[in-house]
Amino acid sequence: MPPELLLRTSDLDGRLDALLTGSFAWYQLLMTGSHLGAASALVEQVLRDDRVPESERVRLLAEAEGAMSAAEGVARRIDADGPDESTLAASLYVRYCVQDTLARVVPRAVELLGHLDSQAADEVSHLVTCADGLASQPLAQSGMTSTLAAYLADGTLTIT
C-alpha cells in the first residue's frame, strides 16, 4: 500500500497528531456520554418514584449530574480551545471518573427500583445493559495508568 494512503497514529516518538488527539478526546466523551445517558435514564425513574426516600433520589441525582457536568466541561474546553494533549488527558480522567460513578449509581438505582412490574423491569434491564461496558471501550484505564502517570510527570501524552 502506498505510504500516502496510510493513516499514521503517531509520530515516531509515539505522540498523537492533532487529528487523532481530537478524535480520541471526542471518542472518550461520546462513549462516556452514551453510557452516562442510559444511567441517567435509570436515575430519572428513581426520581419519579415517590416510594424511594428523598435522600436516595438526591444522592443518585447529584452523582449523575456531577459526572455529566464534568463531561460537558471537557467538551466545552475542546470546543473553545481545540483538542490537545491536555484535553485528551482530561477526557480520559472524566471517562474513568464516570466509570466509577456508574459502578455505584447503576446498581443502586436498580436496587431502589426493585419493586417494578415486568414491563418496567424490562426497561430497567435494557438501560442497565446500555449503561454497562464503558470500562471495555478503547483506552481502558488499566492500560493507560502508566501512560497518564508519565504524562503527569513530563507533560507528554503518548498512546502505543
Side-chain angles (χ1 to χ4, degrees):
M1 178 175 287
E4 64 271 9
L5 295 179
L6 294 175
L7 178 63
R8 302 235 181 259
T9 58
S10 65
D11 295 332
L12 294 177
D13 64 359
R15 294 183 74 166
L16 295 175
D17 65 16
L19 175 65
L20 287 173
T21 298
S23 298
F24 274 125
W26 278 117
Y27 178 81
Q28 297 308 310
L29 291 174
L30 291 171
M31 286 300 99
T32 297
S34 296
H35 293 275
L36 185 53
S40 294
L42 282 171
V43 171
E44 284 181 31
Q45 288 191 14
V46 172
L47 292 175
R48 290 191 302 260
D49 191 335
D50 292 336
R51 294 174 285 192
V52 175
E54 285 179 341
S55 61
E56 292 287 352
R57 288 186 273 166
V58 170
R59 183 178 134 234
L60 288 180
L61 178 64
E63 288 208 65
E65 286 295 315
M68 189 64 74
S69 292
E72 288 171 351
V74 174
R76 280 191 203 93
R77 190 170 141 200
I78 292 172
D79 274 346
D81 302 331
D84 59 14
E85 286 181 347
S86 70
T87 53
L88 174 54
S91 72
L92 290 166
Y93 304 146
V94 166
R95 177 232 171 131
Y96 303 144
C97 177
V98 170
Q99 282 177 210
D100 291 344
T101 299
L102 295 181
R104 290 186 307 275
V105 167
V106 170
R108 186 63 182 146
V110 170
E111 181 180 347
L112 294 168
L113 294 169
H115 55 273
L116 299 174
D117 61 35
S118 64
Q119 182 178 0
D122 287 345
E123 182 181 354
V124 167
S125 177
H126 174 72
L127 290 171
V128 168
T129 300
C130 293
D132 190 30
L134 185 56
S136 65
Q137 296 298 326
L139 303 184
Q141 186 172 7
S142 60
M144 289 297 294
T145 301
S146 61
T147 299
L148 287 171
Y151 169 72
L152 292 171
D154 70 17
T156 301
L157 184 61
T158 58
I159 296 180
T160 57

